[in-house]
Amino acid sequence: MTNPKQQMAGQVALYPSAQAYEAGVVPIRFSGWPRPAPQAPYAALDADIEADVVVVGAGLAGTSLCLHLAERGVQAVLLEADQPGSGASGRNAGHVQPYLGSLDALRDLPNQGHAFIDYFVANRDLVFDLSTRLGLDADVARCGLVEAANREHGALAHKARVWQGLGYAVEVVGKEQLQQLLGTAAYGYGLHWREGGRLNPYLFTQGLAARAAALGARVYGNSCVLACAAEGGQWRLRTATGSVRAARVVLCTNGHAGNPFFPELARTQFPLLACGLATRPLPAAALALINPARVALMQYPAGLYPLVIDGRGRLITATIPGHGQAQDAQRYFDYFLRYLRRTFPALAGVPIELESYWTGMTANSSSVYDAAYPQFYQVDKGVLALLNLGSWGNLMGPLLGRHLAEVLVTGRLDRLLLPLREPRAVRCSGLFETKIRRVLIPAARLADRLGLV
Ligand SMILES: Cc1cc2nc3c(=O)[nH]c(=O)nc-3n(C[C@H](O)[C@H](O)[C@H](O)COP(=O)(O)OP(=O)(O)OC[C@H]3O[C@@H](n4cnc5c(N)ncnc54)[C@H](O)[C@@H]3O)c2cc1C
C-alpha cells in the first residue's frame, strides 16, 4: 500500500503540517480533484479598477454568481485569495444531492418556504444542465444517488413520499434492487434518487470561472481581499497589489474565518472539518464488483462512507476526522478499506491503494445537520454575503449563485427566496464540531462495526 506521505512523489518536503490538515487548508494539489497538470493560474489584481459588482471568493457560490452576472451583462470582478476551487469547493466528496434537508426548518419563512422549495425543485438538474450548456470538462454524471440502510426506516419512506409529491423520480428500494444497483447484499432498504449524481467539484468550479471570464468577467487569483471600506457612496476592496471600486459587493467566502473586514460574519456559522480521500484507479474487473450502476452512494442513518466512482475509476469518499487526527490519512483510509472489504467481500485480494488525502472546512448555519441552510446576509449598505453552504454546496452553490444574480440585476432584494438577514453570531459555535467529532462520529463508527444500525 502506498504511504500517503509519498502520494506526491518528489514533494515530501512540502508535506503539509498537522495544523494545515486541522484547519482544512492543505494546498489544493493534495486534493484528489485537480488534474496533475495544473491549469494556468489567474493572475493577481495589479491595478486600481472599477466594476458594477465585486464578488469575493471563487468557490461554487462565487463563480456561479459571477458567471450568471456576466451572462446578464453586468461588469463583474471576481477576487480569489488562492485560485478558483481552492476552498471547500475543490475538496469535497463529489455528490450532487438533488433534494433538501429538513423542510421543517423552512416553516418560518413566508408561505413555509415554498417559493424557495419550488425554485430548488425546478432547478434540481442545474449542475447537469450547466455542464452541458457550457461544455464543462468536469466529469459530471447524472448517475443517480442511493441512500442505503441496513433495515427499513420510516423516515426514508416518508422522505420518498414527500419528494415524489414534488415530482421527483425517487423510489423506495429493497434488498434485491439494492444488490443490482450496488453489487452487494449488505443493504436491505433504501432510496434511489434518479436525479442525483456526481461531479469533479474542482474542475466544475474552475469551469464556471473560465466561462465567466470568457464572457468578460475579470477573474483574479492570488488576490486576497484585505480590506473593504466605504468610499464616496461605493466600496473599495484592497488586495496586496491593487483595488476594486464598486457600488455592490458580494462576499462568497464560505465561513469567512480569518477575514479582517466585516468580522461579524466570521461568527455566523458552525465550522466543521471534513476529510476526503481518493484511491488509485481500480481495474475494470474490480469495478464490476463495486457499485455496478455507478450511482453516488450514501449510507443511512450515518453517512460514514459516502462513495462515488469517478470517470477515472477511482473510489472517492469523505468523512469527519477525529480531533487532532486530521492528518492521519492512513487511519481514514483503513476505515474505508474495512468498509469496502466488509460490504463487497468479492474484493478480497484486490489491491486498493490510496492516491490522495486532504481536508477542507465546511461552514454550517445550524448545529442540526439537516436544518443547515445557506444564508444571505445584508452586511452593510451595498454589501451582501452568501455564506454557510454546509455540506450541500455542489448544487446549492451554483443554484443560489444564479438566483442571486437574477435578483441583483432586477435590484429587487425583496425577491430573494431565502431571508436576507443581518449577520448574527451563533451560540457556542465550537460545540457543534465537538459534538460531531468527539461523540457522534466515534459512536456511529462503533455502532456500524457492531452492526447495530
Ligand atoms: C471534505 C468535504 C466533503 C464535502 N462533500 C460534499 C458533497 O459531496 N456534496 C456537496 O454538495 N457538498 C459537499 N461539501 C460541501 C461543499 O464543498 C461546500 O458547501 C461548498 O464548496 C462551499 O462553496 P463556497 O463557494 O461557499 O465556499 P468555498 O469553496 O470554500 O469558496 C470560498 C472561497 O473564498 C475564498 N476567500 C476567502 N476569503 C477571501 C478573501 N479575503 N479574499 C479573496 N478570497 C477569499 C477562499 O479562498 C475560497 O476559495 C463537502 C465539503 C468538504 C470539505
Side-chain angles (χ1 to χ4, degrees):
M1 182 189 306
T2 310
N3 176 348
K5 292 202 175 189
Q6 292 161 353
Q7 61 178 312
M8 306 300 296
Q11 296 184 9
V12 173
L14 298 178
Y15 200 68
S17 64
Q19 288 84 344
Y21 279 101
E22 188 61 31
V25 296
V26 295
I28 192 65
R29 67 175 184 277
F30 285 88
S31 158
W33 296 115
R35 292 223 170 92
Q39 273 141 300
Y42 289 88
L45 175 69
D46 62 356
D48 298 323
I49 61 171
E50 309 217 331
D52 297 331
V53 180
V54 190
V55 180
V56 183
L60 287 153
T63 54
S64 171
L65 171 60
C66 192
L67 167 79
H68 289 103
L69 287 172
E71 285 185 338
R72 287 159 179 76
V74 177
Q75 295 270 314
V77 164
L78 179 57
L79 297 176
E80 166 54 46
D82 191 330
Q83 290 291 318
S86 298
S89 300
R91 299 160 188 267
N92 74 45
H95 285 62
V96 181
Q97 179 197 296
Y99 53 89
L100 295 167
S102 160
L103 298 185
D104 288 347
L106 300 172
R107 283 250 162 85
D108 292 341
L109 302 188
N111 196 17
Q112 303 192 336
H114 266 287
F116 170 68
I117 296 170
D118 291 348
Y119 186 83
F120 181 89
V121 167
N123 290 291
R124 61 191 186 267
D125 274 337
L126 183 64
V127 166
F128 313 113
D129 293 347
L130 279 173
S131 174
T132 306
R133 178 166 73 81
L134 302 174
L136 302 184
D137 179 15
D139 195 20
V140 175
R142 194 176 183 268
C143 51
L145 184 149
V146 165
E147 286 181 273
N150 291 342
R151 57 176 178 81
E152 203 168 321
H153 286 271
L156 284 180
H158 174 71
K159 189 159 142 186
R161 280 195 299 276
V162 168
W163 290 92
Q164 282 162 355
L166 291 166
Y168 273 57
V170 52
E171 293 148 38
V172 174
V173 280
K175 196 174 182 96
E176 212 172 292
Q177 285 155 296
L178 285 166
Q179 185 152 10
Q180 277 170 16
L181 287 163
L182 302 175
T184 171
Y187 298 108
Y189 188 81
L191 299 186
H192 182 198
W193 302 83
R194 291 183 189 270
E195 289 144 322
R198 66 151 209 269
L199 82 175
N200 176 322
Y202 176 81
L203 296 182
F204 188 82
T205 308
Q206 284 261 336
L208 296 185
R211 294 304 182 274
L215 289 170
R218 286 162 287 169
V219 179
Y220 296 98
N222 305 332
S223 297
C224 184
V225 174
L226 304 171
C228 181
E231 184 182 291
Q234 298 204 328
W235 292 92
R236 183 166 300 275
L237 282 76
R238 292 191 185 281
T239 69
T241 50
S243 74
V244 189
R245 197 164 83 123
R248 174 70 74 191
V249 177
V250 185
L251 306 170
C252 296
T253 52
N254 193 5
H256 206 67
N259 280 319
F261 49 96
F262 306 119
E264 62 273 31
L265 284 170
R267 296 190 299 273
T268 61
Q269 70 276 147
F270 299 91
L272 179 62
L273 184 74
C275 60
L277 67 85
T279 68
R280 290 192 191 285
L282 263 63
L287 287 174
L289 303 171
I290 310 173
N291 188 355
R294 294 285 178 278
V295 289
L297 170 62
M298 287 158 71
Q299 298 81 19
Y300 186 90
L304 287 177
Y305 313 100
L307 172 71
V308 299
I309 301 180
D310 78 352
R312 289 177 49 211
R314 303 179 307 163
L315 312 184
I316 290 146
T317 191
T319 189
I320 307 296
H323 261 285
Q325 295 167 342
Q327 77 285 7
D328 193 350
Q330 195 62 52
R331 173 187 294 262
Y332 301 104
F333 185 48
D334 286 346
Y335 283 146
F336 185 51
L337 274 184
R338 275 202 294 268
Y339 162 77
L340 289 175
R341 304 243 184 254
R342 194 176 70 216
T343 311
F344 305 94
L347 277 178
V350 174
I352 301 177
E353 293 181 332
L354 181 65
E355 184 180 89
S356 327
Y357 173 81
W358 65 93
T359 57
M361 196 57 91
T362 65
N364 304 272
S365 63
S366 166
S367 61
V368 179
Y369 216 65
D370 247 21
Y373 279 87
Q375 300 288 315
F376 288 112
Y377 293 109
Q378 178 81 62
V379 188
D380 207 326
K381 192 165 181 290
V383 183
L384 298 176
L386 166 53
L387 300 186
N388 304 341
L389 271 60
S391 315
W392 320 120
N394 281 340
L395 176 50
M396 211 55 110
L399 183 116
L400 291 181
R402 188 179 92 168
H403 171 52
L404 184 53
E406 290 162 351
V407 166
L408 285 176
V409 290
T410 65
R412 295 286 309 268
L413 290 182
D414 58 314
R415 293 202 173 147
L416 277 175
L417 298 173
L418 288 174
L420 184 57
R421 302 185 200 275
E422 278 183 25
R424 218 181 29 214
V426 299
R427 268 190 278 166
C428 307
S429 62
L431 273 184
F432 176 58
E433 189 158 57
T434 303
K435 176 178 86 177
I436 298 221
R437 292 180 71 186
R438 285 197 198 275
V439 183
L440 294 184
I441 292 288
R445 274 195 213 293
L446 185 65
D448 184 59
R449 275 179 91 167
L450 299 176
L452 301 177
V453 284

